[in-house]
Amino acid sequence: MSVVDLRLAHASHETLEFFWNGRPLLGRRGESLATALLANGVRTLAWSRKSHRPLGYSGNYVSGVLARVNGIPNVRLDLQPVSAGAQVQMQNCWPSPGFDLLRLSRLIPAGWIQGGFEHTNLVPSGSALFQRWEALLAFLAGVAEPAERAGEVAVPTARYLSADVLVVGAGPSGCAAANEAAQAGRSVVLVTRGQGLARYAQAAGRGVPSLDERVQLVTGVEVFGAYREGELLLAAPHDPAQGALVLEAQQVILASGRRACPPVVPGMWLPGVMEARTALIMAHEQAVAPGTRVVVVGSGDEEAVARRLRELGVNVVAARSISDLRCVAGRGQVRAAVFAKPVVCDAVVHAGPWLTDASLTFQSRAEGLLQLREARVTPFRIVGAAAEADQSLPVAARSRYKSLLCPCFDVSCAEVEELLAQGIRDLEVIKRLTSCGMGPCQGQPCWDSLRALVSARSGIALADLPRPTLRPPRRALSVAQAAGLADVVAPLQ
Amino acid sequence: MNTVKLLPAKASIIIVGAGIQGLALAFNLAELGVRDILVLDAGYWQGGASGRNGTLIRGAFSSPEWTRFFAHSCHLWQGLSKRLGENVMYSRRGYTMVGERQSTAELLDRTLEVHKTCGIHSMLLTPTRLREVLPALAHERVSAALHLPDSGVAPHHAAMYAYRQACEACGVSIHYRTEVTAIDQSAGRVCGVRVGEERIASDTLVLAGGAQSNHLAQLAGVPLDGYPMRLEAMALEPTRPLIGPAVALLDRLCYMHQTARGEVVGGAEVAERPQHTLNADVPVMAATARAYLEMFPQLGHARILRQWAGLVHISKDFGPLLGAHWQLPGLFVSAGWCYGHAGAPAAGELLAKAIVSGDVDERMRPFAVDRFERNLPVVEPGIVLSHFE
């Protein structure tokens, strides 16, 4: 672990001491724990569940930023601000992060470890050893120690908000849609994950849109679920001490933008690979560079992203088309981006392929009977980048390099290719056989990678491969926050 | 398992529904020597309740009828990996029924008496023993706890995989995404089914279509008790083991367990108008979360990974509808299942025997399809479900 300074010129000078596995580190005010760790040269924040592959802050794979903070397991380090004295500990280690015997699992040949259920006939149920075997699997799969016992957690009461129009996303398109509705005399609620308006537009160097003062702005909450065929939406702030939000509106407008998905290329899961929005927002708001030598790849806007990162002070060594990327090389972290020739770097920022998060539209359409009989249209209006067609994910040819579809569960392309060879092409079936996308990220982005791979290898058109069910709340809601909904949403009578 | 296969022109037995009931039955029929078994399913593998249930295997209830049936099933689960040749991962981790109200403690006392009569291994746990079995529980809220050491859980994906592999090894033909659109009769008995334009002849037909049971009975033109009901569950993000046995929180109509993957999976029932949808809703998630938070305080900070709904077919007394249909010769039914995952090995075995030899086993007889016609419901007070009033 080389300590290099990734902080940019506009970083805050106010330092805060926190602890990583008991070791004191200095963060700056305004940084998240993930950013502060990156700035301290800590790139590996977590280990994949089975093969103990290193995972880091990517903006795509949530399992790369889960750690224990002050005795609470699975806290998202990218959403948790640095605070003085915070105790942050790596998970999936035993007996301790410093002396971790679980790392030995990396010695097991990758082909032996399948992402799918621990379905081995080595120790069948009914045999004398099974209960012990299951206990071992449960210990390994559990990854994190449960929370410490400290009495009942307080239940924050949920809030109910209704308006004529609900707009999700406070980027330029969301603000424009909200303004338009407000000017037409309708009551408007605008909800955003950010702490203010147009976080990404600002990070990308575009201005802040103006917002009609009649629009009610709700910041810092994630809208994670659409219920009752889109009539009811739920949102939650990341801080579990604050209540969830129940939203009802006559019209729902989704202006939630798009995110860059990792292409299906070997090494894309390595610590050091980062999604472009995440990288830009981090460099702009928190003044930390993704690496000392950064390669930007993209599906058209790589030059613009590279230019903006340079403006923010990041050392971008190359900007290339993502379709030329053959693999990302490195063992514990990114060492090079390999095109026709390798480009040495310690970070790869991918600006694309851009995809819209389909969760809310999927849920609002109603799953219908067995998902097969009804294919309704979503009642939601979609505006801005979210309305644009999904870009296709490049899929690397079969190679000797290890290509992972679902890093949290160690599901490899080879495992899915084996199923395809058996004639199994149904994504719902592949999901159940491999566990692809069943981890903390709930298939975002792995199911898009899975679709792209199955389409590329089988020749089935992407449109004929429906995504597996996108189920809420995708860890946006804690048990205590959910309990607070009991008095606010009545059962259907 | 979902490759394109041609449908045969005839079959000795057609089973509609390739969930765990249909597959368990097909396997047992094949073991009894029946050949040319065809299983048809409108959905995808594990798309129905067999892939959406809580995976609990409860081997005893509060009535002798339920207890005898499910104890037999639980016994079969224990040897199922060996029998199917694939690991069903049946985890004999115990099942603890937790009561909070005094009236529930009394129910558990009576339940223990039923278990003694039926020869079931079960015990009321003393507070000290309960602390050893479930250290994470909020013990101050508990009035009584009844423990079933032989019960447990079996992940549905493993069980469904094992049954499917075993069926295919026996030559059973299974077709998913193949919807039966009509049921043919001639001379007052079943003579086949239609899948769109295609006809498949058979003189024996079994309806094992879960929530679609009433729809299928309609196709056959016969009455069938029950209605589809949505049940919901949710999974928390994984942690290392905190909760050992499967748990039923009887006063909250909530069941739960921690899977071998570390996720706490469970659900509480909320009185709602019966919903015919696979979409999950908010109240069940909220009620389940409240039950977790109050009964297992360490779960309060945990985050919810996903919630989902499944549809079961609910009969008047919540019991299965199992056996020959009384109106149409050649038609058999395996429906009314709300504990269908737990009951599948026994139902498959006993119904197969009834179809092949005509012998109706004593453990299956109380659940006859026509019991409401004869005004003989089975009263079971110890289940975690209720009708919407």
Side-chain angles (χ1 to χ4, degrees):
Chain A
M1 191 187 307
S2 59
V3 176
V4 286
D5 200 3
L6 294 177
R7 288 202 172 90
L8 301 169
H10 58 289
S12 155
H13 292 284
E14 192 184 338
T15 59
L16 296 162
E17 190 187 53
F18 69 102
F19 299 88
W20 170 247
N21 297 331
R23 186 161 64 96
L25 295 176
L26 289 179
R28 302 279 176 93
R29 183 166 298 283
E31 289 174 351
S32 70
L33 284 168
T35 311
L37 284 162
L38 178 61
N40 278 280
V42 181
R43 285 187 180 271
T44 300
L45 305 180
W47 304 108
S48 72
R49 192 176 291 200
K50 292 177 180 167
S51 298
H52 238 65
R53 293 182 173 99
L55 299 173
Y57 184 20
S58 63
N60 271 316
Y61 303 113
V62 72
S63 49
V65 286
L66 297 183
R68 189 178 192 86
V69 179
N70 298 330
I72 297 172
N74 295 320
V75 172
R76 254 183 85 166
L77 300 181
D78 59 331
L79 295 178
Q80 192 74 15
V82 163
S83 58
Q87 292 282 352
V88 189
Q89 267 193 311
M90 208 176 197
Q91 303 182 141
N92 202 11
C93 305
W94 186 83
S96 72
F99 178 71
D100 178 15
L101 291 176
L102 299 185
R103 258 180 235 194
L104 294 173
S105 60
R106 286 208 80 178
L107 299 175
I108 303 171
W112 292 12
I113 294 193
Q114 303 237 313
F117 46 85
E118 293 67 15
H119 191 281
T120 163
N121 285 320
L122 278 179
V123 191
S125 66
S127 63
L129 268 179
F130 182 76
Q131 292 307 130
R132 281 169 195 277
W133 167 250
E134 191 197 39
L136 172 69
L137 290 181
F139 176 82
L140 294 174
V143 170
E145 282 299 325
E148 282 149 30
R149 194 160 187 156
E152 218 165 272
V153 179
V155 175
T157 311
R159 278 192 300 153
Y160 173 83
L161 261 182
S162 78
D164 295 336
V165 180
L166 168 70
V167 184
V168 180
S173 319
C175 289
N179 291 342
E180 190 188 323
Q183 279 147 25
R186 306 174 79 188
S187 62
V188 188
V189 170
L190 175 61
V191 187
T192 170
R193 270 196 289 217
Q195 293 308 320
L197 297 178
R199 174 168 73 138
Y200 175 54
Q202 288 192 64
R206 301 190 286 269
V208 195
S210 64
L211 188 65
D212 192 301
E213 58 187 19
R214 288 165 291 186
V215 174
Q216 185 181 354
L217 177 66
V218 182
T219 58
V221 299
E222 170 149 3
V223 180
F224 62 79
Y227 297 85
R228 300 181 182 178
E229 296 169 28
E231 285 173 12
L232 197 73
L233 287 92
L234 290 190
H238 175 67
D239 177 5
Q242 293 177 45
L245 209 57
V246 181
L247 300 159
E248 242 176 321
Q250 285 163 12
Q251 191 190 14
V252 176
I253 300 175
L254 298 184
S256 37
R258 295 197 290 181
R259 64 201 154 84
C261 280
V264 188
V265 163
M268 283 309 283
W269 48 275
L270 280 165
V273 176
M274 195 176 261
E275 187 255 356
R277 283 173 50 104
T278 310
L280 280 167
I281 292 171
M282 180 176 76
H284 176 249
E285 289 182 0
Q286 306 187 31
V288 171
T292 53
R293 290 173 56 85
V294 177
V295 169
V296 179
V297 291
S299 50
D301 31 14
E302 57 272 16
E303 292 296 346
V305 170
R307 196 179 321 118
R308 179 59 183 159
L309 283 171
R310 285 188 184 115
E311 276 170 26
L312 292 165
V314 178
N315 177 33
V316 178
V317 293
R320 303 279 181 85
S321 165
I322 203 161
S323 51
D324 295 336
L325 181 68
R326 293 188 186 168
C327 78
V328 177
R331 184 165 162 82
Q333 67 174 72
V334 172
R335 297 282 174 219
V338 183
F339 305 93
K341 282 183 185 159
V343 178
V344 174
C345 62
D346 61 354
V348 172
V349 169
H350 61 101
W354 296 101
L355 278 82
T356 303
D357 181 341
S359 302
L360 295 176
T361 44
F362 183 94
Q363 292 151 16
S364 69
R365 284 198 313 260
E367 240 186 282
L369 289 179
L370 291 175
Q371 255 190 323
L372 304 170
R373 313 219 166 146
E374 292 175 71
R376 294 187 207 185
V377 241
T378 174
F380 299 163
R381 197 180 129 207
I382 306 169
V383 299
E388 288 170 35
D390 283 349
Q391 294 181 351
S392 63
L393 263 60
V395 178
R398 278 171 225 251
S399 76
R400 63 193 173 86
Y401 293 108
K402 203 139 284 32
S403 222
L404 282 183
L405 278 180
C406 169
C408 4
F409 270 16
D410 298 289
V411 182
S412 67
C413 289
E415 198 178 335
V416 173
E417 282 158 1
E418 269 175 41
L419 295 178
L420 289 172
Q422 293 170 36
I424 297 168
R425 294 166 167 192
D426 196 322
L427 297 192
E428 288 284 1
V429 176
I430 295 175
K431 169 186 125 181
R432 284 166 171 81
L433 288 174
T434 62
S435 306
C436 179
M438 303 276 277
C441 65
Q442 289 294 292
Q444 312 249 3
C446 335
W447 286 338
D448 290 307
S449 318
L450 175 67
R451 282 176 86 206
L453 178 78
V454 172
S455 173
R457 296 284 187 263
S458 69
I460 301 173
L462 213 52
D464 297 329
L465 286 168
R467 275 192 191 90
T469 317
L470 297 166
R471 292 171 172 165
R474 243 172 69 204
R475 62 182 321 291
L477 191 73
S478 76
V479 166
Q481 284 171 321
L485 288 162
D487 303 325
V488 183
V489 183
L492 291 167
Q493 299 296 321
Chain B
M1 98 186 34
N2 54 323
T3 45
V4 180
K5 290 183 287 191
L6 291 178
L7 289 169
K10 62 179 171 52
S12 63
I13 294 184
I14 298 174
I15 300 170
V16 187
I20 195 163
Q21 290 297 332
L23 294 184
L25 175 63
F27 171 73
N28 280 281
L29 286 167
E31 285 234 307
L32 291 175
V34 180
R35 293 290 163 264
D36 300 323
I37 303 167
L38 179 65
V39 191
L40 304 174
D41 195 299
Y44 52 87
W45 182 62
Q46 289 196 64
S50 298
R52 296 169 181 266
N53 59 67
T55 77
L56 269 54
I57 314 292
R58 177 170 165 188
F61 287 77
S62 298
S63 64
E65 295 89 346
W66 279 63
T67 297
R68 288 200 184 99
F69 186 91
F70 284 93
H72 178 54
S73 209
C74 184
H75 173 72
L76 292 176
W77 270 107
Q78 291 175 34
L80 203 58
S81 291
K82 201 170 174 191
R83 193 147 167 241
L84 299 180
E86 283 284 346
N87 192 356
V88 299
M89 295 168 73
Y90 175 68
S91 170
R92 189 175 158 271
R93 53 171 69 187
Y95 189 114
T96 312
M97 285 175 259
V98 177
E100 294 166 71
R101 286 196 281 267
Q102 197 45 45
S103 57
T104 311
E106 287 154 17
L107 169 72
L108 290 178
D109 284 338
R110 292 196 297 277
T111 302
L112 186 68
E113 292 307 312
V114 172
H115 292 177
K116 277 185 189 156
T117 318
C118 298
I120 300 294
H121 183 32
S122 72
M123 64 204 72
L124 283 168
L125 298 177
T126 61
T128 316
R129 186 78 186 97
L130 183 60
R131 268 171 212 279
E132 289 164 17
V133 173
L134 279 169
L137 190 66
H139 292 270
E140 66 281 4
R141 290 179 178 270
V142 177
S143 66
L146 182 68
H147 189 67
L148 302 167
D150 295 328
S151 298
V153 301
H156 44 62
H157 50 244
M160 284 291 286
Y161 183 76
Y163 266 123
R164 190 185 64 82
Q165 294 289 74
C167 281
E168 291 191 338
C170 299
V172 174
S173 182
I174 306 167
H175 296 249
Y176 285 97
R177 300 206 191 248
T178 306
E179 186 179 349
V180 168
T181 48
I183 292 172
D184 293 330
Q185 302 175 23
S186 88
R189 60 168 301 134
V190 167
C191 71
V193 302
R194 264 177 281 171
V195 175
E197 298 295 300
E198 293 189 65
R199 277 170 189 275
I200 308 155
S202 179
D203 61 0
T204 309
L205 177 66
V206 187
L207 304 184
Q212 298 300 310
S213 294
N214 294 108
H215 167 70
L216 293 171
Q218 230 168 15
L219 289 184
V222 295
L224 187 69
D225 183 66
Y227 59 91
M229 183 195 220
R230 168 173 75 175
L231 298 179
E232 294 178 64
M234 68 185 204
L236 304 186
E237 68 188 343
T239 63
R240 285 178 180 160
L242 178 72
I243 301 169
V247 177
L249 303 169
L250 296 175
D251 292 309
R252 299 166 186 268
L253 298 179
C254 178
Y255 65 87
M256 61 193 294
H257 83 289
Q258 190 172 10
T259 69
R261 271 185 203 158
E263 298 168 351
V264 174
V265 172
E269 285 323 301
V270 166
E272 63 171 6
R273 178 161 40 84
Q275 298 294 308
H276 200 186
T277 169
L278 285 175
N279 280 332
D281 199 3
V282 183
V284 168
M285 175 169 69
T288 311
R290 181 152 284 182
Y292 287 0
L293 181 102
E294 291 177 359
M295 297 307 285
F296 292 95
Q298 279 158 282
L299 296 178
H301 290 292
R303 288 183 173 266
I304 303 169
L305 275 189
R306 59 182 176 272
Q307 53 170 154
W308 66 94
L311 289 165
V312 292
H313 184 235
I314 292 282
S315 72
K316 276 194 196 75
D317 62 7
F318 298 100
L321 301 163
L322 195 60
H325 197 280
W326 73 99
Q327 281 194 357
L328 185 61
L331 182 69
F332 293 82
V333 176
S334 174
W337 288 106
C338 49
Y339 288 83
H341 179 69
E349 181 193 271
L350 302 181
L351 184 58
K353 212 168 81 181
I355 292 172
V356 171
S357 68
D359 296 340
V360 178
D361 189 277
E362 281 311 313
R363 289 164 293 199
M364 170 178 149
R365 192 180 299 278
F367 301 108
V369 184
D370 66 345
R371 66 179 179 276
F372 304 110
E373 306 293 312
R374 295 182 283 121
N375 209 12
L376 285 171
V378 183
V379 179
E380 167 49 58
I383 57 172
V384 198
L385 274 176
S386 65
H387 284 294
F388 180 69
E389 303 291 345

